[in-house]
């Protein structure tokens, strides 16, 4: 690790919550074990009245896996960090306690809001600029706000406290390796970029299908749903990376400007009955495990009509992508995990007479977690040289040594904005999906059902019209 830590103290708000124990602390542990957070202080804060021993137990448990695979220097760094960490019980929405804690900590401080969005917003609104020490970084989880206007309001609140380059709107779904793999594939291969446009590409699909059901996340998920939770927060960012114009550099301004330009040109066209679909899982089984109806899961309010599968067609109205459909889909409780982007090329304009066999459009697949690359091509098969066979070229792409949240934290600690979403981009993502959310709230698009554990349910997968 060659990056240097600029942050001296990482303050995690919501330290007693699920996000911290399951993702943040293990991600930090892997980063520390690899030598990427030297001299860092860790401070936890939460509403639960935890004793120092309870917080230490949580940290040790979360660090255990990384410690097991670390070298002697990594083990020493983990032990030192865990030994010195402290926990503070405080109400972040009360006037005074958070400001007082910030004044006590060694700076610069990165404040990680591992809290529900509305709580994070309230905490930031209470802080006054004079109460935020110079150099402080504010780290916000997505979804960023609850809509375009609330995102704009939250941006104003944050910019009143710290400059834009000290705000990290983190997207853990987009690991640094994933981002660079997409950019490297597109812009380092001269044979690919000339055909990366409407003349040669028929459609682009970005799919994130999970075999996990609600898994105890009703408190958050039932008020969000698949469109807000995955498509608005994550898949639109992948779409933008797939669609951007070649940037001059991978620097913060060039890359983020290119992403913002794509999103400004993007929209979901009505009628939404043909450009979007929504569905909810019913009872079924996944790998022999019974899954109840979504509406019978603990903490779910059936009257909310929350979707667990969302599919949309996005149109990018610019020279490169006019009339090329970008199909984005995310679903829960499906039979197979499918996390990939699929680029379908247009068929050849004319296949010389005399060839037989496969004659289908070529497809390029970019897999996410693990990161893979597959290219379907038609070649002359063995035996009959006039017969075409479909073959697939495979490659494994570069993977990070860090966990997704380790990559996020590394960017925060070193001031690298690559995995952070700029303020205007966060607002654009809400602008794109809000008309659909309003239509769905009026039941303008029917809420369909699929059985948990099924694969690509009939009438759903691929059902958004691409014409």
């Amino acid at each position: 690790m060659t990056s240097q830590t600029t942050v001296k103290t990482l303050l995690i708000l919501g330290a007693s919550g699920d996000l911290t124990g399951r993702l943040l602390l293990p991600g930090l542990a892997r980063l520390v074990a690899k030598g990427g957070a030297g001299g860092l202080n860790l401070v936890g804060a939460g509403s639960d009245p935890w004793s120092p021993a309870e917080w230490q137990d949580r940290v040790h448990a979360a660090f255990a896996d990384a410690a097991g695979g670390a070298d002697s220097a990594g083990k020493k760094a983990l032990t030192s960090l865990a030994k010195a960490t402290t926990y503070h019980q405080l109400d972040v929405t009360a006037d005074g306690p958070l400001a007082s804690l910030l004044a006590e900590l060694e700076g610069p401080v990165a404040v990680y809001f591992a809290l529900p969005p509305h709580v994070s917003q309230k905490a930031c609104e209470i802080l006054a600029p004079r109460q935020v020490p110079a150099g402080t970084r504010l780290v916000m989880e997505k979804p960023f706000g609850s809509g375009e206007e609330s995102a704009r309001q939250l941006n104003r609140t944050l910019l009143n406290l710290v400059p834009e380059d000290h705000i990290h709107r983190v997207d853990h779904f987009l690991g640094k390796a994933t981002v660079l793999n997409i950019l490297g594939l597109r812009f380092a291969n001269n044979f690919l970029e000339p055909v990366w446009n409407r003349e040669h590409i028929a459609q682009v699909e970005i799919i994130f299908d999970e075999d996990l059901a609600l898994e105890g996340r009703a408190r958050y998920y039932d008020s969000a749903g698949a469109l807000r939770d995955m498509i608005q927060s994550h898949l639109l960012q992948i779409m933008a990376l797939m669609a951007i114009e070649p940037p001059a550099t991978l620097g913060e301004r060039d890359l983020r400007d290119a992403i913002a330009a794509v999103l400004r040109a993007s929209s979901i066209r009505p009628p939404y009955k043909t450009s979007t679909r929504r569905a909810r899982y019913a009872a079924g089984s996944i790998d022999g495990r019974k899954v109840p109806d979504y509406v019978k899961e603990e903490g779910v309010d059936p009257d909310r009509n929350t979707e667990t599968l969302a599919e949309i067609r996005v149109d990018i109205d610019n020279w490169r992508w006019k009339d090329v459909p970008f199909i984005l889909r995310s679903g829960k409780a499906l039979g197979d995990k499918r996390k990939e982007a699929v680029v379908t090329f247009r068929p050849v304009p004319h296949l010389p007479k005399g060839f037989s066999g496969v004659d289908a459009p070529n497809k390029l697949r970019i897999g996410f977690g693990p990161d893979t690359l597959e290219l379907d091509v038609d070649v002359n098969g063995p035996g009959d040289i006039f017969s075409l066979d479909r073959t697939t070229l495979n490659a494994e792409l570069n993977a990070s040594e860090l966990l997704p949240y380790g990559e996020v934290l590394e960017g925060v600690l070193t001031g690298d904005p690559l995995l952070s979403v700029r303020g205007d981009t966060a607002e654009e993502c809400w602008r794109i999906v809000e008309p659909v959310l309003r239509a769905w709230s009026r039941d303008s698009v029917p809420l369909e059902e699929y059985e948990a554990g099924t694969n690509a349910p009939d009438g759903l997968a691929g059902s958004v019209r691409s014409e």
Side-chain angles (χ1 to χ4, degrees):
M1 305 287 291
T2 58
S3 55
Q4 298 297 312
T5 303
T6 58
V7 169
K8 289 296 183 182
T9 302
L10 173 62
L11 169 61
I12 301 177
L13 305 180
S16 56
D18 175 70
L19 172 63
T20 299
R22 187 167 52 90
L23 297 171
L24 268 179
L25 290 177
L28 175 64
R30 184 79 66 88
L31 177 62
V32 171
K34 296 292 182 183
L40 182 70
N41 302 309
L42 173 63
V43 177
S47 58
D48 292 313
W50 279 14
S51 67
E54 287 176 302
W55 172 241
Q56 288 277 348
D57 287 345
R58 160 160 277 205
V59 172
H60 281 295
F63 281 14
D65 186 64
D71 58 19
S72 59
K75 286 183 171 66
K76 183 178 180 181
L78 287 168
T79 300
S80 176
L81 181 62
K83 184 178 180 180
T85 187
T86 58
Y87 177 85
H88 302 261
Q89 182 186 3
L90 60 83
D91 178 1
V92 298
T93 63
D95 189 6
L98 178 55
S100 298
L101 179 57
L102 284 173
E104 298 173 5
L105 302 178
E106 181 184 2
V109 178
V111 184
Y112 201 113
F113 291 83
L115 298 165
H118 69 281
V119 178
S120 299
Q121 184 156 353
K122 179 67 173 176
C124 292
E125 288 171 348
I126 288 175
L127 284 173
R130 58 180 172 77
Q131 297 173 319
V132 181
T136 298
R137 297 184 178 275
L138 304 179
V139 191
M140 314 298 292
E141 275 281 326
K142 297 187 76 179
F144 185 77
S146 57
E148 184 180 6
E149 181 53 40
S150 70
R152 187 174 291 114
Q153 180 181 340
L154 182 52
N155 277 332
R156 286 194 292 262
T157 299
L158 297 176
L159 288 170
N160 190 46
L161 300 176
V162 299
E164 171 65 32
D165 63 359
H166 282 52
I167 302 170
H168 293 260
R169 303 169 190 83
V170 299
D171 187 353
H172 67 275
F173 186 81
L174 274 183
K176 184 178 292 186
T178 299
V179 171
L180 295 178
N181 284 337
I182 293 174
L183 297 178
L185 174 68
R186 281 203 53 195
F187 302 126
N189 295 290
N190 197 36
F191 73 92
L192 194 57
E193 179 58 23
V195 299
W196 204 261
N197 55 55
R198 65 187 303 274
E199 301 296 331
H200 300 279
I201 291 177
Q203 74 170 19
V204 179
E205 299 167 272
I206 300 171
I207 307 297
F208 191 86
D209 288 345
E210 299 181 271
D211 58 356
L212 297 176
L214 194 54
E215 313 300 328
R217 296 180 66 219
R219 182 178 178 183
Y220 161 72
Y221 192 87
D222 196 46
S223 61
L227 182 56
R228 290 183 180 90
D229 181 51
M230 283 303 306
I231 294 179
Q232 183 278 142
S233 289
H234 306 303
L235 300 193
L236 282 172
Q237 297 291 323
I238 292 181
M239 183 198 77
L241 286 172
M242 299 285 289
I244 61 171
E245 296 299 317
T249 72
L250 296 181
E252 175 267 334
R253 183 169 181 177
D254 286 341
L255 188 56
R256 286 165 133 191
D257 281 352
I259 289 171
V262 168
L263 293 172
R264 284 197 302 272
S266 300
S267 64
I268 305 167
R269 296 175 183 168
Y272 299 122
K273 282 186 178 181
T274 57
S275 61
T276 75
R277 297 294 290 266
R278 61 176 182 148
R280 182 170 61 196
Y281 68 78
S285 63
I286 302 174
D287 292 333
R289 176 173 57 92
K290 290 186 177 180
V291 177
D293 279 335
Y294 175 81
V295 295
K296 295 182 179 179
E297 295 266 25
E298 184 178 352
V300 167
D301 179 359
D303 293 335
R304 280 199 174 114
N305 284 335
T306 301
E307 81 286 351
T308 59
L309 185 148
E311 187 173 68
I312 62 174
R313 168 183 167 148
V314 181
D315 282 275
I316 303 174
D317 289 325
N318 62 19
W319 188 289
R320 183 185 292 261
W321 297 114
K322 182 69 174 177
D323 295 329
V324 175
F326 282 75
I327 309 298
L328 279 55
R329 187 182 77 226
S330 180
K332 280 189 171 296
L334 295 169
D336 284 333
K337 291 187 293 185
R338 184 184 172 199
K339 304 175 183 180
E340 63 178 356
V342 182
V343 179
T344 301
F345 292 91
R346 297 190 184 280
V348 295
H350 173 71
L351 185 68
K353 292 180 180 180
F355 279 119
S356 63
V358 175
D359 178 20
N362 306 104
K363 292 189 177 184
L364 175 69
R365 289 182 167 86
I366 304 172
F368 308 121
D371 287 4
T372 58
L373 182 68
E374 297 181 359
L375 177 60
D376 294 340
V377 295
D378 296 332
V379 298
N380 299 71
D384 182 0
I385 61 173
F386 291 98
S387 177
L388 295 172
D389 285 341
R390 173 57 54 90
T391 189
T392 301
L393 308 179
N394 298 282
E396 289 188 12
L397 302 179
N398 181 57
S400 173
E401 294 181 332
L402 302 177
L403 296 172
Y405 270 88
E407 291 191 316
V408 164
L409 289 171
E410 182 186 32
V412 170
L413 299 180
T414 61
D416 181 1
L418 183 64
L419 301 184
S420 174
V421 175
R422 201 167 66 185
D424 58 335
T425 299
E427 294 173 21
E428 287 295 335
C429 288
W430 280 116
R431 176 195 59 78
I432 292 167
V433 303
E434 274 200 325
V436 176
L437 291 169
R438 288 194 292 267
W440 288 5
S441 69
R442 299 190 300 267
D443 289 327
S444 299
V445 177
L447 179 64
E448 304 179 41
E449 283 195 346
Y450 60 98
E451 183 180 326
T454 55
N455 297 326
D458 290 340
L460 290 173
S463 61
V464 168
R465 298 279 68 83
S466 62
E467 294 84 357

